[in-house]
Amino acid sequence: MNHIIKDLSQRVWLAYLLIIIVLCLIGSYKDIFSATYILAVDHLAPAYDYSTTVGFNSTPSKEQLETGIYYYNRCVETFPGEKGHAWHMLGYYLYLYGDKKNAIQAIEKSVELVPVFFWSQYNRGVYYFNEKDFAKAAEAFNGAASLDMRLTVMVILNSKTYLQVLCRSSSQTKANNPSIKLIDTFNKTRGYQALSQFCLQNPGHPACSQALQMNYF
Amino acid sequence: MLTHCKTILTNFLSRIPVSGWIIFSFAAWLVAFRDFISTKAYSTSDAIAYIMSSLDLVSNLKRGVWPLWLSYYGHGVPFDFFTQRMGAYNPLYTFMTSVYATKVFSFPVAYLLTLSLYYFLGMIGFYLLLKKIYHDRRVAFGGFILLLFSSLGIRIFDSFLCLMSVPLIWFFYFLTAFLIAPRKLWFAGCILCAMILCNTYVPFYFIMTFMLVAFCFSVVFWSDILPIFKRLAKFFCLHPLFCLAMLTLFVITLVPSAALYFNSYGNIALPLRHGAQPALSALPAATDHILKVDPGYLKWGAFEELIYSSFFTSVKRFNLGIVFFPLVSLVLILWGSFGRINKRITFFLLTTLLFLLIGSPRTPVYTFFAEHLFFFKYFRNLHFFLWFAVFPLFVLIFSEFLYQLLNQDKTWGSYKKQTLCVINIVLHMLLAVFLLVRGDLGFVATFTIGTSGLFIWRLLVGSPAVEWAVCGALCLLVIPQSLNIFLHLSEKNLACTAGYPQETSTLGLQPENVVVNLAKVPKRLPDDYYASNAWSELANNISGPAITNYIRNTLVFYDRVKPLQYDRYGLRRMEIAFLNDENLAFVPADAKLERLSNNATPLAHPLRDNGTHNDRVTIKTQNTNYFAFATNLPNDKFMVFNDAYHPQWHAFINGKETRLIRANIGFKGLWVPAGKALVEFRFGTPLWYWFNVFIWLIFNALFVGILVVMVRDRRKGQL
């Protein structure tokens, strides 16, 4: 028995175990996972305010947008399980195309079908903010900020619709638009949240119109 | 017939030396990344910034100029920041310049091809390191092929890690060789690699890596420390002059880094690095942000990188910058857990653990170092430790297990062998189930698991592990799976056709470039990655439209100058003048200018020029460090050259040095006399310029010297 214990204590697996214990004891894994999920969310899916940079190398052409709209319309019709995501992507393309009325309808449907999805909420907020409907914007941003990012990552990674976006690396866009950063979404959400609430209370304030003009965030 | 074919194949394969397998592996790697190297698939992120910086350096080297200033980046910046960031003295760039000068390749292709060869050079270094440790070519090849096909190589196309990892690998190869048997060659190699590493990116990454490895080595191999010191002391006593000369060279080559450090005080701005902190130097990263505030991306470390990568491990989701090792590495790491622990494995595991801990900002180990070690504030990309330290360490652990497997005890009884065979089957089956659950068990993965099981089983039952068979098996285990993933990655990136930067026909004064850059003038500074302090102050205090209106020309000639306090009122006054195009230049209130007006009737607006050929002003000569204008003005004018001000710029009028004044917050200004005059601007002193050239020559000469000696020793069979 002693021989066996002595033999086992000299094996590499014991070193592995020790390493795992040390790592588990001294790492703040909750924070690590949280940071990772936020960045993953940022890299995986599109936002309206970065609309020309995500998924495209440059500003998308009219033909590209029409193809996208056709494709995601078909997705909505063809894949019932994918409807929530397909509506979101359709809204995104319609927004870029300039069809804002249908875009918001699509995004509202997406929020209704996949309420835990960060980007639907966030893009809904951006839409209303740009349309100066600060009450709805604040509501959407509050909703977005309260969501669990892990769920959004899971939604994206398990969705065939988002795989299309995923396959076009969003990081490529940074090279073409160095001044636009895809990171820091969470801070942006908080900023939008605060500004929406401020503009709701002070609708005529110059800061609101200035922010709208400058695309401040 | 089958036996005959087998004999022919065996004869053929057994004649292939390890070098043949190495070349074959690299050829396969090139095939995997051919679309990236030929720029059909698009590189991203930091790789683009480095391609641009390399283009600036190489195009200047091709013209025979060592760049000290870059006019067309951020409205003029000192080049020493780029020199340090990309390690411009590295002989790699001399080779890159030669490749590009052949005019066979466009610059991005020349860059990516050269960097791929550089990466291959690094892998050769790793092979030699393993050979030095294990004296076994099979193990060395195993480590080589695993690291070659890891995602470290992929980072050529989205990062600059290759520039640090390759010299680091060679440094540890030379160091290992030197510690085992001190020789001049090894010492010179160590010095060259240390020189390159201290002049590439942030040198403290190398210093930290070296310190940590040395610490772990001392802890594990403490009984070997004294004999090593004795050997080293004997070597230094035998060759004092050589050692002194080498150490002197090393110290001399640190001068540019030190100069950058001191110049960073008040002369340059790196807002993304040092955030909004009122730091004196621009170089330190915002450590307080990393530790206390919550922007997630600033707290990115090794664990975050690993967890993030876990989202993308499948073939379809795989992307650039994702941690990847061929499946066989996992098999051997699991298999090795049944092996006995020894000093080597303890050393590798301990070092890996410490790198993971200091490479993650959310551990108390990191916090401790950040609070007590002064250079921790220079680390912004902590996950880099994962790539250039943990990656090679992981492969070293793999190599140790491969070594144990290949050199197992031949006296094992049949019972023990049978038990191990069962464990082998169970292990591979578990792996297959794991991949199946993840949805990654395709044809290639099944083939790899099957081959791996067969390979280990053959070794366990005592089949001879001859060199060619092991190398061939490792190729089968690593290459198909990696090719499957990498080719898919290329295919995904083929869709991106955005252009790469191309060499500009002339340097510096390209008014249209200036205007194009200005169109991107950020409304707030944090979008600027690197700028001169003068430009940053301007961009921070004057509105975008006013700057755009003002800076539409490269040269502006004023009749009047106004000293101004740069307070709120003064800045608004300047903004109005810029918007109205007033014939009035501004200098700091304490500038003590001899004259403020040309005493002639001032024009309503200043004269504006781009330095193209006309009667008034012509560009005589220009390179990146020097501009000369021939002027012919109707009366004395205050000339503002809209290229950022920096205290190291010198101005000359008709050959005589003239006082250069910081005008309009950010630019260079001086009084130019009426009539014909030659106005020259020169960045830095001739001494500093030739010192840089001298250092560049030292790097290249040392590299060639080491290469020649290594080739000679190899021919003599001494290597």
Side-chain angles (χ1 to χ4, degrees):
Chain A
M1 188 66 184
N2 281 346
H3 174 71
I4 294 171
I5 292 171
K6 194 181 170 189
D7 185 62
L8 283 175
S9 68
Q10 289 171 347
R11 298 286 166 181
V12 175
W13 66 266
L14 201 67
Y16 286 177
L17 195 66
L18 275 173
I19 289 174
I20 291 167
I21 290 169
V22 169
L23 293 179
C24 287
L25 284 178
I26 62 174
S28 315
Y29 286 93
K30 199 181 162 196
D31 292 347
I32 293 172
F33 274 98
S34 168
T36 312
Y37 282 120
I38 288 173
L39 193 84
V41 165
D42 228 5
H43 279 185
L44 292 179
Y48 279 3
D49 45 350
Y50 293 133
S51 53
T52 57
T53 67
V54 178
F56 296 100
N57 298 319
S58 56
T59 309
S61 66
K62 198 182 165 199
E63 288 73 28
Q64 275 178 307
L65 292 174
E66 281 168 354
T67 311
I69 291 166
Y70 172 77
Y71 175 80
Y72 289 109
N73 260 318
R74 290 299 304 273
C75 280
V76 168
E77 292 163 11
T78 320
F79 305 115
E82 292 285 312
K83 260 189 179 174
H85 323 307
W87 277 118
H88 177 247
M89 288 308 298
L90 181 63
Y92 168 69
Y93 272 82
L94 285 168
Y95 185 86
L96 295 186
Y97 194 66
D99 187 353
K100 292 188 177 176
K101 194 182 160 197
N102 284 324
I104 191 60
Q105 278 179 6
I107 209 80
E108 290 284 12
K109 277 184 187 165
S110 169
V111 172
E112 195 186 316
L113 290 166
V114 198
V116 294
F117 187 53
F118 174 81
W119 285 114
S120 301
Q121 296 271 18
Y122 177 83
N123 286 333
R124 181 169 166 256
V126 173
Y127 172 86
Y128 284 121
F129 188 87
N130 288 339
E131 295 301 309
K132 299 179 190 173
D133 190 343
F134 299 121
K136 281 190 177 173
E139 182 204 321
F141 288 128
N142 283 335
S146 63
L147 288 175
D148 185 342
M149 293 291 160
R150 277 176 302 175
L151 295 172
T152 299
V153 174
M154 292 306 133
V155 166
I156 296 170
L157 294 182
N158 291 306
S159 156
K160 289 189 184 76
T161 307
Y162 282 104
L163 209 58
Q164 301 296 322
V165 181
L166 207 62
C167 289
R168 293 185 296 245
S169 162
S170 59
S171 62
Q172 286 153 3
T173 58
K174 276 201 271 183
N176 305 320
N177 299 281
S179 63
I180 299 170
K181 307 286 177 235
L182 284 169
I183 49 182
D184 216 7
T185 313
F186 216 58
N187 288 346
K188 273 160 45 63
T189 312
R190 286 175 187 156
Y192 262 133
Q193 235 180 315
L195 194 67
S196 299
Q197 269 155 5
F198 175 77
C199 293
L200 187 62
Q201 287 155 11
N202 311 281
H205 197 279
C208 299
S209 50
Q210 198 185 354
L212 284 166
Q213 275 172 11
M214 292 176 73
N215 189 14
Y216 192 72
F217 292 100
Chain B
M1 180 65 185
L2 199 66
T3 319
H4 185 62
C5 286
K6 194 182 164 189
T7 314
I8 292 172
L9 191 67
T10 310
N11 280 340
F12 170 72
L13 291 174
S14 60
R15 281 179 193 169
I16 301 175
V18 176
S19 55
W21 291 106
I22 287 176
I23 291 166
F24 170 73
S25 308
F26 184 59
W29 188 90
L30 285 175
V31 168
F33 291 106
R34 65 187 189 281
D35 287 333
F36 277 102
I37 295 168
S38 63
T39 67
K40 279 182 192 164
Y42 196 58
S43 300
T44 66
S45 197
D46 282 343
I48 297 294
Y50 275 72
I51 290 176
M52 289 166 91
S53 301
S54 305
L55 175 60
D56 294 330
L57 175 72
V58 166
S59 56
N60 276 301
L61 284 180
K62 214 173 73 167
R63 292 181 176 101
V65 176
W66 181 264
L68 297 174
W69 181 262
L70 205 57
S71 289
Y72 45 94
Y73 184 98
H75 308 276
V77 285
F79 195 76
D80 56 359
F81 172 75
F82 296 111
T83 305
Q84 176 69 34
R85 194 170 73 152
M86 64 184 179
Y89 305 109
N90 191 331
L92 163 77
Y93 295 101
T94 314
F95 181 63
M96 196 184 286
T97 310
S98 320
V99 172
Y100 182 45
T102 58
K103 295 183 178 175
V104 175
F105 308 105
S106 67
F107 182 75
V109 176
Y111 172 89
L112 293 168
L113 188 64
T114 315
L115 221 61
S116 300
L117 292 171
Y118 190 59
Y119 178 63
F120 181 55
L121 182 74
M123 297 306 106
I124 297 282
F126 196 69
Y127 170 82
L128 292 174
L129 174 67
L130 286 170
K131 219 173 97 180
K132 203 55 102 185
I133 297 171
Y134 293 102
H135 306 285
D136 188 331
R137 285 196 294 239
R138 300 166 304 173
V139 177
F141 178 75
F144 160 84
I145 196 168
L146 197 72
L147 194 62
L148 177 72
F149 282 94
S150 71
S151 51
L152 188 63
I154 302 174
R155 303 235 64 182
I156 291 173
F157 311 106
D158 81 327
S159 182
F160 55 92
L161 278 159
C162 183
L163 297 173
M164 294 157 82
S165 52
V166 170
L168 198 65
I169 287 169
W170 275 97
F171 173 80
F172 280 109
Y173 164 65
F174 285 128
L175 185 68
T176 309
F178 185 63
L179 294 182
I180 293 170
R183 276 182 63 190
K184 282 182 182 177
L185 174 66
W186 308 139
F187 188 62
C190 279
I191 293 289
L192 175 66
C193 294
M195 277 158 53
I196 293 173
L197 287 160
C198 285
N199 283 283
T200 304
Y201 194 56
V202 179
F204 298 113
Y205 282 98
F206 162 63
I207 292 167
M208 189 69 216
T209 306
F210 177 66
M211 279 169 53
L212 210 65
V213 172
F215 169 75
C216 294
F217 185 84
S218 313
V219 168
V220 179
F221 296 97
W222 59 273
S223 56
D224 297 324
I225 297 294
L226 197 63
I228 286 173
F229 268 111
K230 278 183 183 169
R231 279 203 295 272
L232 296 188
K234 194 179 167 189
F235 174 80
F236 290 128
C237 291
L238 276 173
H239 312 284
L241 281 178
F242 175 79
C243 295
L244 196 66
M246 282 293 144
L247 290 171
T248 311
L249 282 184
F250 176 66
V251 173
I252 289 173
T253 53
L254 292 179
V255 172
S257 308
L260 171 68
Y261 176 78
F262 289 114
N263 283 335
S264 71
Y265 282 82
N267 291 330
I268 58 169
L270 289 158
L272 287 177
R273 272 197 75 79
H274 64 140
Q277 287 189 320
L280 283 173
S281 169
L283 295 176
T287 321
D288 285 354
H289 283 232
I290 294 174
L291 289 174
K292 291 164 193 162
V293 193
D294 189 34
Y297 70 96
L298 275 178
K299 278 187 158 185
W300 204 250
F303 289 131
E304 287 80 356
E305 192 92 328
L306 284 169
I307 296 167
Y308 181 73
S309 294
S310 69
F311 299 145
F312 300 90
T313 44
S314 73
V315 177
K316 279 183 185 171
R317 289 177 191 158
F318 192 75
N319 216 331
L320 294 165
I322 299 299
V323 175
F324 165 79
F325 273 102
L327 207 55
V328 66
S329 63
L330 190 62
V331 172
L332 271 204
I333 294 290
L334 288 174
W335 181 254
S337 63
F338 299 107
R340 277 185 190 281
I341 206 152
N342 60 27
K343 275 193 173 183
R344 270 198 304 249
I345 200 78
T346 311
F347 169 60
F348 297 149
L349 288 173
L350 179 68
T351 320
T352 307
L353 175 67
L354 286 183
F355 272 117
L356 284 174
L357 291 177
I358 64 152
S360 180
R362 291 177 176 86
T363 61
V365 179
Y366 170 83
T367 315
F368 173 80
F369 278 116
E371 283 170 3
H372 294 94
L373 213 55
F374 80 95
F375 58 72
F376 251 66
K377 60 178 175 284
Y378 295 95
F379 297 146
R380 192 167 62 96
N381 295 305
L382 288 160
H383 58 284
F384 281 4
F385 284 114
L386 178 77
W387 292 91
F388 62 71
V390 176
F391 262 55
L393 278 165
F394 180 81
V395 180
L396 282 168
I397 295 167
F398 163 88
S399 306
E400 175 67 31
F401 295 146
L402 183 64
Y403 177 77
Q404 287 180 6
L405 194 66
L406 293 174
N407 298 285
Q408 59 187 299
D409 194 349
K410 302 289 179 195
T411 59
W412 283 348
S414 62
Y415 174 71
K416 188 162 187 176
K417 280 184 181 175
Q418 280 167 9
T419 313
L420 288 170
C421 285
V422 171
I423 291 173
N424 180 39
I425 292 167
V426 172
L427 194 75
H428 283 86
M429 281 176 73
L430 282 175
L431 198 64
V433 170
F434 172 71
L435 291 176
L436 190 68
V437 170
R438 285 182 60 95
D440 293 339
L441 193 68
F443 169 74
V444 181
T446 314
F447 170 78
T448 307
I449 290 175
T451 315
S452 161
L454 203 65
F455 172 64
I456 294 175
W457 174 75
R458 293 274 295 176
L459 290 174
L460 288 175
V461 295
S463 298
V466 288
E467 200 170 275
W468 68 267
V470 173
C471 292
L474 285 166
C475 284
L476 271 179
L477 284 170
V478 171
I479 294 175
Q481 192 215 353
S482 307
L483 278 184
N484 184 34
I485 287 189
F486 296 163
L487 288 173
H488 193 83
L489 178 68
S490 299
E491 209 173 282
K492 251 178 13 182
N493 282 268
L494 274 175
C496 304
T497 52
Y500 279 95
Q502 294 295 332
E503 188 181 357
T504 46
S505 55
T506 53
L507 286 171
L509 282 176
Q510 287 210 338
E512 60 278 10
N513 278 358
V514 173
V515 173
V516 168
N517 282 343
L518 264 177
K520 292 178 189 166
V521 169
K523 294 180 180 78
R524 55 203 192 287
L525 188 62
D527 282 341
D528 268 341
Y529 179 71
Y530 172 46
S532 70
N533 209 35
W535 167 256
S536 294
E537 281 185 28
L538 182 82
N540 261 344
N541 292 303
I542 304 290
S543 69
I547 297 176
T548 313
N549 188 50
Y550 161 69
I551 207 172
R552 61 185 190 273
N553 297 89
T554 310
L555 301 172
V556 190
F557 294 93
Y558 294 94
D559 290 322
R560 288 177 299 148
V561 178
K562 185 177 173 63
L564 197 71
Q565 286 285 356
Y566 292 153
D567 53 12
R568 197 177 167 191
Y569 167 77
L571 292 167
R572 291 293 77 79
R573 173 73 190 89
M574 195 183 292
E575 203 166 76
I576 291 164
F578 283 178
L579 284 167
N580 295 327
D581 202 17
E582 286 182 36
N583 188 355
L584 187 61
F586 298 94
V587 295
D590 55 359
K592 289 179 186 164
L593 217 62
E594 294 82 15
R595 53 194 301 203
L596 300 175
S597 164
N598 64 10
N599 298 323
T601 314
L603 300 170
H605 299 293
L607 295 174
R608 291 183 161 271
D609 218 304
N610 285 333
T612 46
H613 282 269
N614 61 40
D615 292 341
R616 201 164 52 216
V617 58
T618 314
I619 301 172
K620 293 293 283 183
T621 319
Q622 60 164 316
N623 68 43
T624 194
N625 312 318
Y626 173 80
F627 300 93
F629 301 96
T631 57
N632 188 7
L633 299 170
N635 49 8
D636 292 0
K637 298 268 184 191
F638 187 77
M639 173 175 155
V640 179
F641 178 15
N642 283 335
D643 182 57
Y645 175 85
H646 190 281
Q648 286 179 27
W649 273 103
H650 300 275
F652 303 86
I653 292 182
N654 297 326
K656 267 189 169 179
E657 183 151 11
T658 309
R659 189 172 158 218
L660 194 63
I661 299 149
R662 185 171 165 176
N664 292 343
I665 303 187
F667 306 107
K668 299 185 263 284
L670 77 171
W671 277 103
V672 178
K676 289 188 175 177
L678 180 70
V679 184
E680 296 167 281
F681 295 91
R682 177 178 289 129
F683 185 75
T685 59
L687 182 68
W688 182 242
Y689 178 83
W690 289 111
F691 179 73
N692 272 279
V693 175
F694 171 65
I695 289 183
W696 175 74
L697 284 173
I698 287 177
F699 273 79
N700 285 280
L702 200 54
F703 172 74
V704 171
I706 289 169
L707 194 68
V708 167
V709 175
M710 283 184 84
V711 170
R712 192 193 64 193
D713 285 5
R714 169 106 185 129
R715 281 185 183 161
K716 285 182 185 172
Q718 293 173 349
L719 200 68

